[in-house]
Amino acid sequence: MKQTMKDILNRMLNHEELSREEMKNILIGITQSEYPTEQITALLTALQMRGVTVDELLGFRDGILETGVPAILNADRYIDVVGTGGDRKNTFNISTTSCFVIAGAGYKVAKHGNYAATSVSGASNVIQHHGIKFTDDIDKLNRSLDEAGIVYLHAQLFAKAMKFVGPIRKALQFPTIFNLLGPLVNPSQPQCQLLGVANLDQMRLYNNVYQKIGIDYGIVNSIDGYDEISLTSDFKVTTNTYERIFKPQDLGFDIAKPEEVVGGATEEEAAAIFDAVLENRALPAQKNIVLANAAFGIQVLEKGQKSIEECIETARESIDSGKALATFKKFAELNS
């Protein structure tokens, strides 16, 4: 027998945890308009106050993937590089730029993204700024992956459930479980992921989630609160095979200044940094930040078999040789 939302909320008030299956059914119920707004608001607030469990997060993930549009890609192994967002640092598009560097190095990438939530320019902003049209046409997506080595999946075309909670999320004005779901609902369900998180609590949560999903992953956090490797401080990396704190100097990089990581005041300024990195004329700090993030992504793709130094050199060659830029140009040509 299906539980009513009243039963669910009473259990939440008793500090009980919900099962993966229950959460999946609630998410599907939301998409079928089974619950009034007030009840959904109460549930999201209760989850946020208590803290979300691994199974609760996975249940909502199951529901979003089941009610969404799948993206079946013709490739065995590819990566998504993504941040949870919400670090409020307004960095330039580090993950997106890193994706083109990884693809330029000959790996396959399926980047999942959306418009900015807390920064000036999200992945979809910078992609669209270059005249690229979003699509859920599977033949076009596979052609892009096949010929350019990279495909872009604009979240709003795939996760149909999100529009049912959009107004509630906007009204609540604090992060909810849906902020944690973004990195987990890539409709192509990649076998590899590099995820940037804003704090160590999130790192622990996603570490447990990825182990349950069973994919190859790297989770990164800069100790000073960036949800990517910012090189502004020491940073922590957790993967399937190791957990370690790195200093920028360990990788041969200088410490970056916070102002060198900023994405600018406008979408145009953010896009200009993206272009400068791929064209190999960015500030040294901007290039190094992208090299560091791309390198850990490459290491995940290589199942940890290559040293991080080797992976940095692979990423550097992608930029220095012009392959990263050529990859982006090919991608733009196929998707405009």
Side-chain angles (χ1 to χ4, degrees):
M1 190 186 105
K2 196 168 177 186
Q3 294 183 77
T4 65
M5 185 58 89
K6 182 182 171 186
D7 297 332
I8 295 278
L9 290 173
N10 277 324
R11 287 176 55 202
M12 294 295 296
L13 289 171
N14 286 329
H15 304 284
E16 291 179 42
E17 294 177 0
L18 303 175
S19 72
R20 185 168 175 172
E21 189 67 18
E22 283 169 334
M23 287 293 278
K24 176 182 156 184
N25 289 334
I26 290 167
L27 192 282
I28 292 169
I30 290 171
T31 66
Q32 293 167 352
S33 304
E34 283 180 21
Y35 313 116
T37 300
E38 293 80 0
Q39 289 185 337
I40 300 169
T41 305
L43 175 71
L44 295 180
T45 305
L47 283 167
Q48 195 63 18
M49 289 174 74
R50 191 204 67 206
V52 177
T53 68
V54 170
D55 277 348
E56 286 167 351
L57 192 57
L58 285 171
F60 259 28
R61 173 185 186 259
D62 295 342
I64 286 176
L65 291 172
E66 190 168 306
T67 56
V69 177
I72 312 296
L73 300 179
N74 303 332
D76 293 335
R77 195 168 174 79
Y78 48 88
I79 195 168
D80 186 9
V81 182
V82 65
T84 50
D87 63 9
R88 305 202 178 273
K89 302 282 195 185
N90 191 33
T91 49
F92 71 95
N93 300 92
I94 294 169
S95 297
T96 311
T97 316
S98 301
C99 283
F100 286 97
V101 174
I102 294 169
Y107 299 93
K108 300 285 189 195
V109 178
K111 171 76 180 129
H112 179 234
N114 210 334
Y115 295 118
T118 56
S119 60
V120 167
S121 177
S124 290
N125 300 85
V126 76
I127 295 286
Q128 196 171 49
H129 185 85
H130 287 85
I132 284 136
K133 294 182 175 60
F134 303 133
T135 183
D136 59 1
D137 179 319
I138 201 66
D139 292 335
K140 282 186 182 164
L141 295 172
N142 272 306
R143 185 172 173 217
S144 183
L145 188 63
D146 190 40
E147 295 185 24
I150 184 166
V151 63
Y152 187 74
L153 305 167
H154 177 55
Q156 294 176 13
L157 294 179
F158 297 92
K160 299 301 184 188
M162 290 304 201
K163 68 171 181 282
F164 291 92
V165 292
I168 297 171
R169 292 177 69 195
K170 221 179 185 96
L172 283 175
Q173 297 203 337
F174 56 75
T176 67
I177 184 173
F178 288 101
N179 294 69
L180 297 171
L181 280 163
L184 300 175
V185 293
N186 182 321
S188 72
Q189 298 190 43
Q191 309 78 6
C192 305
Q193 192 159 37
L194 183 73
L195 172 67
V197 295
N199 59 59
L200 296 178
D201 285 343
Q202 286 184 353
M203 184 173 266
R204 279 189 288 275
L205 178 67
Y206 285 108
N207 195 33
N208 291 328
V209 165
Y210 285 136
Q211 284 174 0
K212 273 207 163 175
I213 299 173
I215 65 170
D216 293 324
Y217 65 91
I219 311 170
V220 302
N221 164 256
S222 289
I223 304 300
D224 54 351
Y226 287 88
D227 71 336
E228 47 232 332
I229 300 167
S230 61
L231 300 182
T232 52
S233 71
D234 295 359
F235 59 94
K236 186 169 185 180
V237 180
T238 298
T239 73
N240 305 70
T241 51
Y242 70 84
E243 188 173 305
R244 187 182 156 189
I245 291 175
F246 291 87
K247 296 181 181 309
Q249 301 92 311
D250 295 340
L251 307 178
F253 295 131
D254 293 331
I255 293 177
K257 299 184 184 76
E259 60 267 26
E260 294 174 311
V261 193
V262 171
T266 64
E267 211 175 278
E268 288 71 25
E269 286 176 20
I273 299 172
F274 172 87
D275 293 341
V277 175
L278 294 184
E279 291 166 10
N280 203 12
R281 53 178 181 78
L283 296 174
Q286 291 168 337
K287 179 179 177 179
N288 290 345
I289 289 162
V290 171
L291 289 176
N293 286 274
F296 280 96
I298 290 167
Q299 194 180 47
V300 170
L301 280 156
E302 292 285 357
K303 286 185 172 285
Q305 302 295 307
K306 287 194 172 177
S307 71
I308 197 60
E309 290 76 15
E310 285 178 278
C311 297
I312 289 168
E313 284 318 302
T314 302
R316 192 185 301 279
E317 204 267 333
S318 175
I319 294 179
D320 291 354
S321 66
K323 286 179 190 161
L325 180 62
T327 295
F328 179 66
K329 285 182 170 167
K330 182 68 180 172
F331 167 81
E333 177 196 317
L334 290 169
N335 292 280
S336 297

